[in-house]
Amino acid sequence: MSTHTKPQPLGGPLWTPAFKVLAAIVGVSVLLMIWRFIAGLGATTGLSDGYPWGIWIAFDVVTGTALGCGGYAMAFLVYIFNKGDYHPLMRPAVLTSALGYTMAALAINIDVGRTPYIYKIPVFPAWWNLNSVLLEVALCVMAYVAILWLELSPAFFETWEQAGSHPALKKLAGVLHPIVKKLMIPILAVGVLLPTMHQTSLGALMLLAGQKVHGLWQTPFAPLLFLISCVAMGYGVVAMESTLATSVFKRPRETRLLARMAVVPAWLVVVYLILRLGDIVLRGRMGLAFHANIQAFMFWVEMVLFIGGAAMLFSPKFKDTAKGQFQASMAVVLAGAVYRMDTYLVAYNPGKNWAYFPAVPELLITVGVVALEIMAYLYIVKRYPILGGVAAAPNVRGAE
Amino acid sequence: MGQKEETTRHEDHLDGSSWGRRDFMKVCTMAAAAMGLPSWAAEKMAETAAGPKKPSVVWLHFQECTGCTESLLRTSHPDVANLILDLISLDYCETLFAAAGYQAEDVLKDIMAKNAGKYVLIVEGAIPTKDNGIFCKIAGKTAVDMVNEVADKAGAIIAIGSCASWGGIPSADPNPTGAQGAPQVLKGKTVVTLPGCPANPYNLLGVVLQYATFGSLPALDDKARPLFAYTRVIHEDCPRRPHFDAGRFVGKFGDEGHKLGYCLYKTGCKGPVTHANCSLLPFGEVPGAWPIGIGHPCVGCTEQAVGFRIPISTTVEISHATPPDTYAPMHAEHSNIGPVAAGVAGLVGGALIGAGLMASKKLGEGAKEKEE
Amino acid sequence: MTVDRRTLLKGMAAAGAAAALGSAMEPATEARERRVPPPDAMGMLYDATLCIGCKTCMVACQDANGLPRDTRSSDGLYDAPDDLNAKCKNIIKLFKDGDRTSFMKAQCMHCVDPACINACMMGSLKKREHGIVTWEGERCTGCRYCGIACPYGVPKYEWEKAWPRVIKCEMCSDRIAKGQQPACCEVCPRKAVIYGKYTDLLAEAQGRLAAAPGKYEPKVFGATDGGGTQVLYLSKAGISFQDLGLPDLGETPVPDMQQTIQHSLYQGFVAPVALFAVFGAVIWRNRKASGGDGEVKP
């Protein structure tokens, strides 16, 4: 297969019009971030004592890391189940994961009120409250960001080792590359372990909110549901990224490979739905789904997306075409994202007369973080060997 | 019985006989009570005042309206005669003097020589300092020279009224004469200030009698105002305070709230920032005889930063807010969502969905191309 | 619930073990030990039948804690918080439903098994001396998980500040250390809120219920609610504790569900280590079989 050729940098111009637009968005967002640190969270967000967590947690962190589960999902497939065929999808998946998690970490730094004290989390183990699920999430995410970049580091080392790169980088790559090579098995193993731990914990976080979380979402199964859905989302993101990248950069499609892989997220969604609905029915909470309120509505939105996504992934009509794969994957990814946003925001009710809606700066900072992620992706795939196969066509478009 | 007593007292006066112990007690008790002193102090004050050695007082007038003197003279208890003849020994006072010219000057010289270090100097009015103080001269001497000269040998110095305390109206913008209060002119000396326009006479009597009786001055704040009169702000002891707490305000002069005696805060009352005991110690012993009592907002006359500087209609900040007469509900309303934010969110969401659809459409086209 | 927790967790564990985990993750699903107040536990008892709504406690609380005045809702006229917030640790609220009215003193409940301290990453919020839950700034990153966790909505945040603190009633622990009472209890003119040993207060509350059963709702809120609270409430007959804004938590401590699951998964950290070992071995075997060098490669 042509896709088995060594990955190469795409090359081509970096400062395309799309890249400039992204840079402008990031610029605005950076100004707003500065304002947030000067004026405080109250002035820049819609957060309140009723809703202490908003989209920076629910979207950037909880949903963002789930979207960054491509690397995790693919590592399971490639390294644990030894499906070497999927190797061409590995590096792009790890890159999107590394970027997704890095942006989530950035968002945490913006969201937390006493940001300079974040350093204390890894530095003072004596203070650790081992009962805190959030501590586990924080430590795992910090470690996993490092692990992801280590997993990806050979792509950088390979480039730096080549003639013509900066001597310092060359020296650095010369020293580090062999070390990373030696440690790669434990790195990969930790890289599979950590997301298992903290994606579970992200589901466990809201268990502590007890009654404040709506009955359709509050369940002891939440940790498992989060884990299963994040893996399904991971495959979905890999498929979306692959179809988009091949289309945008005019490269050979990986449609057949993706079609074979499609059953994995499809079955995961099935397991998810059995657990989710079984739990709701067995605990007699199904009635809640038939109330005329936003929670019930969003529950059905989730169900339609999950069931529809799984059905599309099973259907040859969808899974065998790039368009169908993209749409099916988008449905699954969206389903998982809505499930997370619902658990953290829609299902969360701190009591009468509280409401939350993100403020304009809050929204724009989130948009800026995503824009930064896309910029970083474009930069890295153009300069470093991430995507396998043919080199860039002369008329590469820099758009997403 | 009461009528008989009245008659007797009146006759006493006609006879020229001095005030009785009862009367001294009454005045001194009021003065002592104003200062928060116990009854035994009032008794001692009365003894002193009734005794042969009454406190010798020199009263100097500079740039002023004589309002402070006027209000002192308008107290019905003691009345003028009792005050200057029996209660204190008012030895020099340009307003009340029978003497004039050189005769008056001689008296002053005489007191300063005889009672040096013992007499009480009361300053009324601001002191002009611009152009060597030429704007106020008495007997050829400027106010600055005169006050310095008399203050040098005084046992205690009291500035009565806002003019003498910090400049008052004469110092209001643009202050053409460079008017200043006595403490600014008499640097390094303790000058008890009794700001007010006018100052309450009982605050003065209290200080004078304490000095005469115990040889000491009352405890003072950082502006040398006696704490017994200037610790709290008008707002804290205002008779209209319940209306404030309940949120009942006069909107404008003459409205329904005004007729019903509601709180004057919104008409510019300076009570929340004005330190004075007006509401507790009625002027001339007539209850309600003070601005708020007659339906006018406090103008902040005692406060240098407020009186004659901030317009009467301007409301002031409440530095030490207290709970209102209402209660928080069980579930307060905390939900307010900006329409702009909702618009931006809609835009972002719409853009994402649009981008997804466009992308999948493009992918479909691409697939077709490939098939071809 | 038709399926008990043990069954649920077992099922969950089985699925979560995925393919490689085997028996390493078999969780100990025993429920957590029920917490009890520490032997030196101090508390408060608020009797809504005695409160006259004078708000003296609010003023005393503001003064004792050096809190700024909350004048936002009144254009600077009044110290009028509409709820507990970063400027108000103690508030008298009014419940009114036709003829049924009652005052309510909202503040930190100082739970026996607080959700907030289970949330707190580095132990900034902790049950310290006398079982009082206090906040330590040095350890707080400002993550606000405490606010998500607390069923009573107590921990408040200084949203307007660039360096925010978490503000909540700390039962005047500094005054207690000096041998004084919490400010609100000291000034209450009707002894509607009293301070004392937790056990004494519980006995006192139960005594009041027994002495005048028709006067009160037949329950001491906090004796067992949500695992118990060190601040106890008595309500007027006919006015439920939910009317007074307190949640109906049952007797299960709020952190139980999360903590049982989390501790089962992470007991002794065996499961993660085992999982790591299994992953490592499988990857190593696969690599070796395919002759790879263990690198992420195409």
Side-chain angles (χ1 to χ4, degrees):
Chain A
M1 249 197 231
S2 64
T3 45
H4 267 241
T5 51
K6 219 173 156 49
Q8 281 171 5
L10 286 174
L14 197 58
W15 284 95
T16 58
F19 200 80
K20 283 176 191 163
V21 171
L22 290 170
I25 295 172
V26 171
V28 171
S29 168
V30 166
L31 292 178
L32 289 169
M33 286 176 203
I34 294 169
W35 183 31
R36 171 257 171 272
F37 280 103
I38 294 168
L41 288 164
T44 42
T45 69
L47 298 172
S48 63
D49 285 321
Y51 285 89
W53 285 357
I55 53 164
W56 289 346
I57 294 293
F59 180 77
D60 294 37
V61 178
V62 180
T63 309
T65 58
L67 293 172
C69 275
Y72 170 51
M74 291 311 294
F76 241 108
L77 202 60
V78 174
Y79 301 124
I80 306 296
F81 296 110
N82 203 23
K83 304 286 182 195
D85 303 355
Y86 296 106
H87 235 146
L89 299 173
M90 198 63 223
R91 256 191 197 174
V94 173
L95 174 62
T96 40
S97 290
L99 290 171
Y101 269 84
T102 306
M103 294 307 136
L106 173 66
I108 293 172
N109 277 278
I110 298 164
D111 178 82
V112 151
R114 300 156 72 91
T115 311
Y117 277 9
I118 284 187
Y119 84 91
K120 294 190 177 186
I121 298 173
V123 169
F124 292 99
W127 289 1
W128 287 354
N129 171 19
L130 296 176
N131 293 328
S132 172
V133 178
L134 191 62
L135 174 78
E136 199 233 292
V137 172
L139 291 169
C140 276
V141 169
M142 284 180 189
Y144 191 49
V145 169
I147 289 289
L148 281 167
W149 287 109
L150 279 175
E151 279 186 32
L152 197 64
S153 64
F156 298 100
F157 295 148
E158 281 163 20
T159 309
W160 295 341
E161 277 161 356
Q162 283 163 11
S165 67
H166 194 275
L169 289 176
K170 208 168 187 171
K171 210 175 158 190
L172 189 75
V175 175
L176 291 179
H177 201 171
I179 298 174
V180 171
K181 257 187 188 167
K182 276 216 180 72
L183 292 176
M184 197 43 95
I185 285 179
I187 288 174
L188 291 175
V190 173
V192 184
L193 173 69
L194 288 177
T196 312
M197 286 168 70
H198 68 249
Q199 287 297 335
T200 317
S201 294
L202 285 172
L205 275 182
M206 293 309 273
L207 294 181
L208 195 55
Q211 295 181 345
K212 291 202 270 184
V213 175
H214 192 270
L216 289 172
W217 284 270
Q218 188 60 291
T219 159
F221 277 102
L224 187 57
L225 291 171
F226 265 67
L227 184 65
I228 297 170
S229 59
C230 90
V231 180
M233 287 170 79
Y235 290 117
V237 169
V238 169
M240 284 174 75
E241 191 256 5
S242 169
T243 41
L244 265 183
T246 51
S247 158
V248 169
F249 299 127
K250 299 234 185 298
R251 297 156 34 75
R253 287 253 161 78
E254 289 153 336
T255 312
R256 210 170 301 167
L257 199 59
L258 292 171
R260 264 198 292 146
M261 196 180 77
V263 291
V264 184
W267 278 110
L268 284 169
V269 171
V270 170
V271 174
Y272 169 91
L273 285 168
I274 291 170
L275 277 171
R276 176 99 193 266
L277 293 170
D279 171 58
I280 290 174
V281 170
L282 285 178
R283 287 194 298 145
R285 288 184 175 175
M286 203 57 207
L288 292 173
F290 300 102
H291 290 202
N293 56 22
I294 179 77
Q295 284 82 10
F297 175 75
M298 290 311 289
F299 173 77
W300 288 114
V301 169
E302 281 178 31
M303 287 304 120
V304 167
L305 285 169
F306 272 119
I307 295 168
M312 285 156 88
L313 285 172
F314 279 126
S315 143
K317 198 181 143 211
F318 281 94
K319 77 173 181 185
D320 291 343
T321 66
K323 185 182 174 182
Q325 281 171 359
F326 184 82
Q327 286 173 345
S329 304
M330 197 164 87
V332 171
V333 168
L334 210 56
V338 174
Y339 172 55
R340 280 160 173 75
M341 297 286 281
D342 281 350
T343 306
Y344 277 76
L345 291 177
V346 177
Y348 181 78
N349 176 15
K352 256 184 233 166
N353 290 347
W354 288 99
Y356 164 76
F357 197 84
V360 174
E362 194 178 0
L363 280 164
L364 292 180
I365 285 176
T366 287
V367 171
V369 167
V370 174
L372 184 63
E373 189 175 344
I374 298 170
M375 281 175 78
Y377 177 87
L378 291 173
Y379 170 76
I380 292 172
V381 296
K382 285 181 179 180
R383 293 287 175 269
Y384 296 95
I386 304 294
L387 299 171
V390 193
N395 61 334
V396 162
R397 282 177 301 152
E400 267 289 83
Chain B
M1 177 83 185
Q3 201 160 9
K4 199 183 169 199
E5 213 176 355
E6 281 292 306
T7 325
T8 319
R9 214 187 73 189
H10 190 61
E11 279 166 4
D12 284 349
H13 268 291
L14 289 178
D15 293 348
S17 63
S18 70
W19 238 18
R21 187 185 141 76
R22 265 184 76 98
D23 303 276
F24 281 116
M25 268 312 294
K26 205 167 178 182
V27 174
C28 292
T29 304
M30 283 181 82
M35 302 170 70
L37 293 174
S39 56
W40 61 260
E43 265 174 55
K44 267 199 116 164
M45 283 179 180
E47 270 167 37
T48 309
K53 261 201 79 46
K54 300 183 208 323
S56 168
V57 174
V58 175
W59 191 300
L60 299 183
H61 291 277
F62 300 120
Q63 288 180 310
E64 35 95 319
C65 66
T66 326
C68 294
T69 305
E70 289 288 349
S71 75
L72 178 65
L73 300 182
R74 258 145 195 74
T75 55
S76 50
H77 214 109
D79 63 25
V80 186
N82 300 145
L83 178 74
I84 60 172
L85 298 173
D86 300 328
L87 209 49
I88 59 174
S89 171
L90 187 58
D91 294 334
Y92 179 90
C93 176
E94 287 136 14
T95 307
L96 301 176
F97 250 175
Y102 292 115
Q103 200 183 2
E105 278 177 66
D106 287 342
V107 174
L108 185 57
K109 278 182 199 145
D110 193 42
I111 301 162
M112 285 169 64
K114 271 199 218 150
N115 288 334
K118 281 183 277 183
Y119 63 87
V120 177
L121 165 63
I122 297 174
V123 184
E124 184 182 353
I127 297 152
T129 57
K130 217 184 224 174
D131 302 333
N132 297 319
I134 55 165
F135 301 102
C136 177
K137 278 188 168 180
I138 296 156
K141 274 187 275 187
T142 63
V144 180
D145 290 341
M146 192 168 175
V147 77
N148 272 307
E149 199 183 319
V150 182
D152 266 346
K153 289 182 180 154
I157 310 163
I158 300 166
I160 188 167
S162 295
C163 302
S165 296
W166 46 262
I169 291 176
S171 72
D173 276 345
N175 194 359
T177 64
Q180 290 186 335
Q184 288 84 55
V185 174
L186 300 172
K187 283 212 170 65
K189 288 196 171 68
T190 302
V191 181
V192 178
T193 62
L194 300 170
C197 194
N200 193 312
Y202 278 104
N203 292 340
L204 173 73
L205 282 177
V207 178
V208 173
L209 288 175
Q210 177 175 342
Y211 178 73
T213 311
F214 304 106
S216 64
L217 291 172
L220 306 174
D221 69 7
D222 60 337
K223 289 171 182 153
R225 301 179 295 199
L227 288 175
F228 69 80
Y230 295 90
T231 301
R232 292 197 285 187
V233 293
I234 295 291
H235 190 55
E236 287 179 289
D237 293 311
C238 183
R240 297 189 181 209
R241 180 58 184 266
H243 294 299
F244 175 85
D245 288 338
R248 295 188 292 260
F249 294 100
V250 175
K252 60 178 184 182
F253 294 110
D255 70 4
E256 197 57 27
H258 199 208
K259 287 174 194 157
L260 292 168
Y262 286 175
C263 173
L264 293 153
Y265 174 80
K266 290 187 176 172
T267 55
C269 183
K270 307 295 184 290
V273 293
T274 303
H275 293 82
N277 58 348
C278 307
S279 66
L280 302 174
L281 206 60
F283 283 76
E285 292 147 74
V286 181
W290 66 302
I292 289 172
I294 57 160
H296 190 281
C298 168
V299 299
C301 68
T302 65
E303 298 287 342
Q304 183 168 13
V306 181
F308 323 120
R309 276 179 175 73
I310 299 177
I312 288 175
S313 59
T314 303
T315 53
V316 289
E317 258 181 52
I318 291 179
S319 56
H320 195 85
T322 49
D325 213 5
T326 55
Y327 293 93
M330 294 312 302
H331 301 282
E333 185 57 52
H334 296 295
S335 38
N336 38 1
I337 286 162
V340 181
V344 172
L347 227 72
V348 172
L352 283 176
I353 292 169
L357 288 176
M358 284 295 288
S360 81
K361 210 178 153 202
K362 277 257 166 66
L363 285 170
E365 283 165 11
K368 268 182 218 138
E369 274 165 32
K370 234 183 162 192
E371 278 160 29
E372 284 159 18
Chain C
M1 276 195 214
T2 48
V3 178
D4 68 7
R5 176 175 289 123
R6 206 186 154 82
T7 318
L8 280 180
L9 288 168
K10 276 215 162 150
M12 200 199 121
L21 195 50
S23 61
M25 222 167 126
E26 172 67 19
T29 50
E30 300 309 314
R32 304 157 72 220
E33 200 182 313
R34 191 54 69 87
R35 304 285 195 279
V36 291
D40 65 340
M42 301 302 280
M44 292 188 196
L45 168 62
Y46 173 76
D47 186 335
T49 66
L50 294 177
C51 180
I52 52 169
C54 68
K55 297 184 202 163
T56 310
C57 57
M58 288 174 70
V59 178
C61 175
Q62 303 276 62
D63 289 345
N65 292 294
L67 293 169
R69 264 56 190 167
D70 182 2
T71 59
R72 279 172 300 181
S73 64
S74 61
D75 288 337
L77 285 189
Y78 306 108
D79 177 20
D82 59 359
D83 206 337
L84 291 178
N85 60 39
K87 293 172 178 173
C88 175
K89 298 176 172 188
N90 166 48
I91 188 169
I92 298 293
K93 293 182 173 184
L94 177 66
F95 167 76
K96 198 163 165 45
D97 176 29
D99 290 342
R100 300 190 306 133
T101 62
S102 174
F103 292 114
M104 167 64 184
K105 183 178 191 284
Q107 61 164 93
C108 176
M109 306 290 283
H110 299 279
C111 301
V112 173
D113 190 357
C116 62
I117 71 165
N118 281 289
C120 193
M121 286 194 280
M122 292 193 288
S124 169
L125 286 170
K126 248 190 198 165
K127 254 179 126 54
R128 296 194 166 88
E129 217 179 339
H130 306 301
I132 298 170
V133 180
T134 55
W135 177 82
E136 190 191 328
E138 277 301 302
R139 296 180 175 214
C140 178
T141 59
C143 73
R144 313 182 295 280
Y145 190 24
C146 49
I148 293 280
C150 178
Y152 304 102
V154 165
K156 301 297 182 186
Y157 203 63
E158 291 183 314
W159 295 102
E160 306 310 318
K161 294 197 178 164
W163 187 247
R165 294 173 300 166
V166 171
I167 304 290
K168 64 178 278 298
C169 161
E170 297 176 308
M171 229 195 256
C172 289
S173 55
D174 52 333
R175 289 170 57 89
I176 291 175
K178 285 186 278 181
Q180 293 169 298
Q181 295 188 33
C184 57
C185 299
E186 188 178 271
V187 299
C188 182
R190 295 258 295 162
K191 298 276 168 260
V193 59
I194 54 173
Y195 166 76
K197 267 190 72 133
Y198 172 75
T199 44
D200 296 349
L201 291 177
L202 193 55
E204 169 70 24
Q206 277 152 354
R208 286 185 199 180
L209 279 188
K215 189 178 165 193
Y216 292 104
E217 277 291 283
K219 174 190 163 113
V220 181
F221 188 96
T224 56
D225 300 76
T229 58
Q230 283 175 227
V231 176
L232 304 169
Y233 284 82
L234 288 173
S235 181
K236 282 182 202 170
I239 293 173
S240 74
F241 291 100
Q242 280 67 61
D243 286 339
L244 297 183
L246 293 168
D248 184 7
L249 294 172
E251 296 193 4
T252 315
V254 175
D256 252 19
M257 179 163 60
Q258 185 197 53
Q259 293 296 308
T260 307
I261 291 172
Q262 211 65 9
H263 282 275
S264 306
L265 292 176
Y266 287 95
Q267 205 173 42
F269 219 63
V270 172
V273 170
L275 205 54
F276 172 72
V278 171
F279 286 155
V282 170
I283 294 169
W284 182 74
R285 202 202 60 204
N286 290 344
R287 291 271 110 190
K288 217 177 151 192
S290 64
D293 54 4
E295 189 182 304
V296 182
K297 66 176 222 178

